[in-house]
Amino acid sequence: MTKDLLLCFLLSFVFIGPLYSLSTNDSLEYSKIQKRAVELNNRKGVQLLDSLIENIDDINWKLSLLQEKASILRVLGEFDEAIQQNFEILSIANQQKNESLINMIYGELGTSYAINQEYDESIKYIKKTKPYFLKEEEWLLLIKTDLNLGEVYRLNNQLDSAQKYFQLAKDEHKKYKNEITNKTEYDLIEGYIIGNLGMVQKSQFQYKDAKVNLTKAIDLLTPFNDAYSICFYLTDLAVIEAKSGKKEYAEKLLKNAYKSATEQQLKEQIRDITEALSIFYEEEGDYKKALLYEKEFVTYKDSLLNKESIQKIERAKHNYEMDKVALEMELLDQKATFRTYFSIFSFSLALLFFILVIIIYITAQKRKKTNVLLLHQKEQIALREEEKALLLKELNHRVKNNLQMISSLLNLQSSQLGDHPAVKAIDSGRFRVEAMSLIHQKLYQKDVHTEIEIDSYIKELVLNLMYSFNNEVETKFEIGRIAIHIDRAIPLGLVINELVTNAMKYAFDGIENPRLLISLQEEEDQLVLKVIDNGVGMENTTSTSTSFGLNLVNSLVKQLDGTLTYQTDNGTTCILLVPLT
């Protein structure tokens, strides 16, 4: 959820950092391990903290380590573990009657439950902190607590309660102004209070008050360069201005928000703003711009967390399997019923002709009803098959996205290694991943989800490799319009990737006009792939048949039940023969 991140940002003002720390000569080594665990901020860091917790007897230090562990777990998204860890800390704090620690853990629990979208539990624990802040006269923390309560209510779509707590935070902000020494944070909190209040008022169609509060919030937060929150407020303000007829001003606000979100690379804000721009231009009749922003909205929507989509796919698959089993059982029951009626009919044949006519009539009527039912069931099966195809298309899209992410990680690793010898191996792995990613991209872009048009795939694959090697090689394609199943397309694409990569690396040293021909034709009952270059020839290159790339090619050729031969005459010709069946 977009607003969840804003919530975490606000909550982090109230509940951060452990209460205790130890630094003695006797525990210097343990302190180094603790520091290292916090720096790692990952599962390895959690393991380091667990090893310390088992070996430390000092209760205060142990509490500090437990809090560090809970904080890392929450950052990693392991909310259930983080909540369980905080309850363990809360139990120890209650035994010690440590009010400060108890209230800090209440806040941590409120944060974890809110991020996990368990809003009722979040509200319960955040409310527990208010009496302590009142007693200790922690006015700024009290204001932030009511602000956070309002935000959780807003996320839970309880707008009246949200408005109540935002208004309460606003009143407290004014009341305790002279008691708060941190004026910078005072102004920042004021911007969040009235900005969030304005968002609630906008949702409740209180446009006049919402406009005043959103405008003031933007003015207050602009000096702090808080693009994250300002983008939210600008978008809601633009919607209000558009509804009041100020179309040009609304468009300007949306474009300002879009520019800011793009510069800061705020993906969730870009998603929401492009959706608002698409709706705005559609209402204005500018369908070209509306479509442009709609496409960008869909792109950013697909690139964000897809946990919910995957769960829907799994549920749909489960429901489909259950419906299929139920249909098979129903068909078996119908067959059994039909056999029963047929037996009765045969037995009655020895009796009166009149009874025979009656039985035939009854059977005909029931068969008519059965046919109607079967027709309906057939339509249902066809609909489910269509849904299955859509889910498969979505799955190919996800696989493509995941492979592209792996390719990007390999590319990033390669760029960081500089001149390290491992760079070539990482780049080779990246090319192979991109070859498989391109297959899945072709699959989800077409209505057929098991076969691809090999001509466009090979051209795009080879041109991508040319771009990666930055070689000015004259490339020619002679490829027929052939559709190949994914089981063959993937190994075939990897073979082409290896052969072209090998040519780019080794074939053209000293060649003035390098040329490369890729040919794929269907001849009789087999596919004939040729990769021809005018390079120095295989016997003159530094590549050997024992290299990983050529070993991979040989393995893939066996997988295709094909044969691969090489000819060296004014260059190298690689010929792969693959049976069609």
Side-chain angles (χ1 to χ4, degrees):
M1 298 287 292
T2 301
K3 308 321 187 269
D4 287 345
L5 295 177
L6 179 60
L7 169 71
C8 296
F9 175 74
L10 296 171
L11 288 171
S12 67
F13 280 101
V14 184
F15 314 112
I16 55 174
L19 291 177
Y20 304 101
S21 62
L22 239 81
S23 179
T24 64
N25 294 330
D26 295 336
S27 59
L28 180 61
E29 186 64 28
Y30 283 165
S31 297
K32 290 180 180 179
I33 297 175
Q34 179 182 1
K35 182 179 179 182
R36 175 59 177 161
V38 174
E39 289 174 349
L40 287 173
N41 202 34
N42 56 20
R43 270 289 174 189
K44 181 65 176 177
V46 172
Q47 293 174 358
L48 290 175
L49 291 174
D50 282 337
S51 67
L52 287 176
I53 291 168
E54 291 177 1
N55 291 284
I56 290 176
D57 295 326
D58 186 281
I59 190 63
N60 290 335
W61 196 359
K62 183 170 289 190
L63 282 169
S64 173
L65 295 173
L66 289 170
Q67 290 172 253
E68 297 279 15
K69 179 181 174 182
S71 178
I72 294 175
L73 287 170
R74 180 155 64 85
V75 170
L76 293 175
E78 303 290 348
F79 300 115
D80 291 339
E81 285 190 60
I83 290 170
Q84 181 180 353
Q85 193 68 66
N86 279 318
F87 274 119
E88 183 179 343
I89 300 169
L90 188 61
S91 176
I92 299 173
N94 279 319
Q95 293 174 11
Q96 292 187 324
K97 297 181 180 180
N98 187 326
E99 285 189 85
S100 178
L101 179 57
I102 289 170
N103 282 276
M104 194 203 75
I105 298 305
Y106 284 158
E108 287 286 345
L109 286 168
T111 300
S112 296
Y113 278 122
I115 297 172
N116 215 26
Q117 298 184 10
E118 298 180 57
Y119 298 122
D120 292 337
E121 287 296 306
S122 175
I123 291 167
K124 180 176 76 175
Y125 283 101
I126 295 176
K127 281 185 175 180
K128 286 177 178 287
T129 64
K130 286 195 65 174
Y132 176 77
F133 294 145
L134 278 169
K135 185 182 74 172
E136 297 297 322
E137 297 184 349
E138 294 284 354
W139 309 124
L140 192 57
L141 296 181
L142 178 66
I143 295 168
K144 292 175 182 177
T145 300
D146 285 328
L147 174 57
N148 291 331
L149 282 169
E151 181 65 5
V152 177
Y153 275 118
R154 186 175 71 84
L155 291 171
N156 202 25
N157 205 31
Q158 295 175 264
L159 298 181
D160 290 336
S161 296
Q163 186 171 15
K164 169 188 170 183
Y165 277 98
F166 285 142
Q167 187 61 50
L168 181 59
K170 184 178 180 181
D171 295 339
E172 290 168 344
H173 187 268
K174 183 177 181 181
K175 179 179 178 181
Y176 301 117
K177 178 178 181 179
N178 295 328
E179 306 294 332
I180 299 172
T181 57
N182 190 337
K183 298 303 179 184
T184 300
E185 192 168 3
Y186 176 89
D187 292 338
L188 191 64
I189 291 298
E190 182 182 8
Y192 294 137
I193 292 171
I194 61 175
N196 286 13
L197 179 59
M199 292 173 73
V200 172
Q201 290 168 335
K202 178 255 182 182
S203 298
Q204 294 180 314
F205 309 106
Q206 301 172 11
Y207 292 141
K208 183 177 180 181
D209 293 336
K211 179 179 177 179
V212 172
N213 285 324
L214 289 170
T215 302
K216 186 176 180 182
I218 293 168
D219 292 337
L220 286 170
L221 295 178
T222 297
F224 298 99
N225 296 319
D226 185 4
Y228 192 99
S229 302
I230 291 173
C231 286
F232 287 134
Y233 303 151
L234 280 172
T235 304
D236 277 7
L237 182 59
V239 172
I240 294 172
E241 295 291 3
K243 290 184 180 297
S244 64
K246 298 180 180 179
K247 303 293 185 179
E248 293 183 0
Y249 185 53
E251 181 182 15
K252 178 181 178 182
L253 292 174
L254 286 172
K255 285 187 174 180
N256 287 341
Y258 177 77
K259 179 181 178 183
S260 179
T262 303
E263 290 174 348
Q264 299 295 323
Q265 297 182 345
L266 304 175
K267 289 187 177 181
E268 292 181 282
Q269 282 84 341
I270 295 173
R271 179 194 63 189
D272 293 347
I273 295 167
T274 51
E275 182 182 23
L277 280 165
S278 177
I279 294 171
F280 174 84
Y281 284 119
E282 184 177 359
E283 292 175 349
E284 290 298 300
D286 191 342
Y287 298 109
K288 183 177 180 181
K289 288 184 178 179
L291 180 60
L292 179 66
Y293 285 109
E294 174 68 18
K295 288 181 178 178
E296 188 170 1
F297 162 70
V298 170
T299 298
Y300 277 91
K301 181 181 178 182
D302 286 347
S303 69
L304 296 171
L305 261 193
N306 59 358
K307 177 181 178 182
E308 183 178 349
S309 297
I310 294 174
Q311 289 175 342
K312 288 181 179 178
I313 291 173
E314 292 302 320
R315 285 197 296 270
K317 286 170 64 179
H318 175 72
N319 291 337
Y320 169 73
E321 294 299 329
M322 292 298 293
D323 289 345
K324 188 166 69 173
V325 171
L327 178 60
E328 290 173 355
M329 293 296 295
E330 191 171 347
L331 289 172
L332 288 174
D333 289 342
Q334 290 171 2
K335 290 179 181 179
T337 302
F338 179 78
R339 284 195 298 268
T340 300
Y341 284 133
F342 183 78
S343 299
I344 295 172
F345 171 76
S346 299
F347 177 77
S348 300
L349 189 62
L351 300 175
L352 299 173
F353 179 74
F354 179 72
I355 298 175
L356 176 61
V357 173
I358 294 176
I359 293 175
I360 293 174
Y361 174 76
I362 293 173
T363 304
Q365 291 297 314
K366 288 190 174 292
R367 290 183 65 182
K368 181 179 179 181
K369 292 179 181 179
T370 301
N371 289 335
V372 172
L373 179 60
L374 287 172
L375 179 61
H376 176 70
Q377 291 169 347
K378 184 178 179 181
E379 292 174 350
Q380 292 296 315
I381 292 173
L383 179 60
R384 292 192 185 101
E385 287 295 330
E386 184 178 343
E387 292 172 351
K388 180 182 177 182
L390 180 61
L391 291 172
L392 184 56
K393 182 176 182 179
E394 177 68 12
L395 183 60
N396 280 315
H397 190 183
R398 300 303 175 196
V399 171
K400 185 269 297 184
N401 286 346
N402 290 338
L403 289 172
Q404 284 187 342
M405 184 180 293
I406 294 171
S407 175
S408 299
L409 290 173
L410 290 173
N411 189 39
L412 178 61
Q413 186 66 55
S414 173
S415 64
Q416 290 179 346
L417 287 176
D419 296 328
H420 195 279
V423 169
K424 292 183 178 180
I426 292 175
D427 285 341
S428 296
R430 176 166 60 87
F431 297 151
R432 293 166 188 142
V433 170
E434 287 176 353
M436 291 185 289
S437 172
L438 190 56
I439 289 282
H440 289 280
Q441 178 178 328
K442 296 293 182 183
L443 285 173
Y444 87 79
Q445 288 177 344
K446 301 291 184 181
D447 292 332
V448 178
H449 304 292
T450 57
E451 293 187 345
I452 66 168
E453 295 291 339
I454 198 65
D455 56 337
S456 62
Y457 166 67
I458 292 176
K459 290 177 182 178
E460 190 167 346
L461 172 63
V462 173
L463 292 176
N464 284 345
L465 286 172
M466 295 298 174
Y467 176 78
S468 298
F469 281 99
N470 198 22
N471 283 354
E472 295 183 359
V473 178
E474 180 184 344
T475 307
K476 184 178 179 181
F477 298 95
E478 294 180 357
I479 303 173
R481 295 188 61 84
I482 305 170
I484 298 182
H485 193 276
I486 183 175
D487 291 340
R488 287 178 167 269
I490 289 178
L492 183 62
L494 288 173
V495 168
I496 295 172
N497 178 81
E498 294 302 322
L499 294 178
V500 173
T501 299
N502 199 54
M504 292 295 101
K505 287 182 178 179
Y506 307 109
F508 300 121
D509 289 342
I511 302 300
E512 293 184 0
N513 298 307
R515 294 189 301 275
L516 185 67
L517 170 64
I518 311 296
S519 171
L520 181 66
Q521 302 294 333
E522 184 177 336
E523 297 180 4
E524 296 181 353
D525 294 331
Q526 61 183 2
L527 289 177
V528 180
L529 169 68
K530 295 181 181 179
V531 179
I532 305 171
D533 65 66
N534 65 336
V536 297
M538 289 186 65
E539 68 276 7
N540 298 319
T541 69
T542 58
S543 175
T544 70
S545 60
T546 60
S547 68
F548 175 77
L550 292 183
N551 286 337
L552 176 60
V553 169
N554 292 333
S555 176
L556 292 168
V557 170
K558 289 181 180 179
Q559 183 178 337
L560 290 167
D561 295 326
T563 57
L564 179 64
T565 58
Y566 301 94
Q567 298 176 3
T568 55
D569 184 13
N570 295 326
T572 300
T573 299
C574 305
I575 303 175
L576 172 64
L577 304 179
V578 179
L580 288 173
T581 58

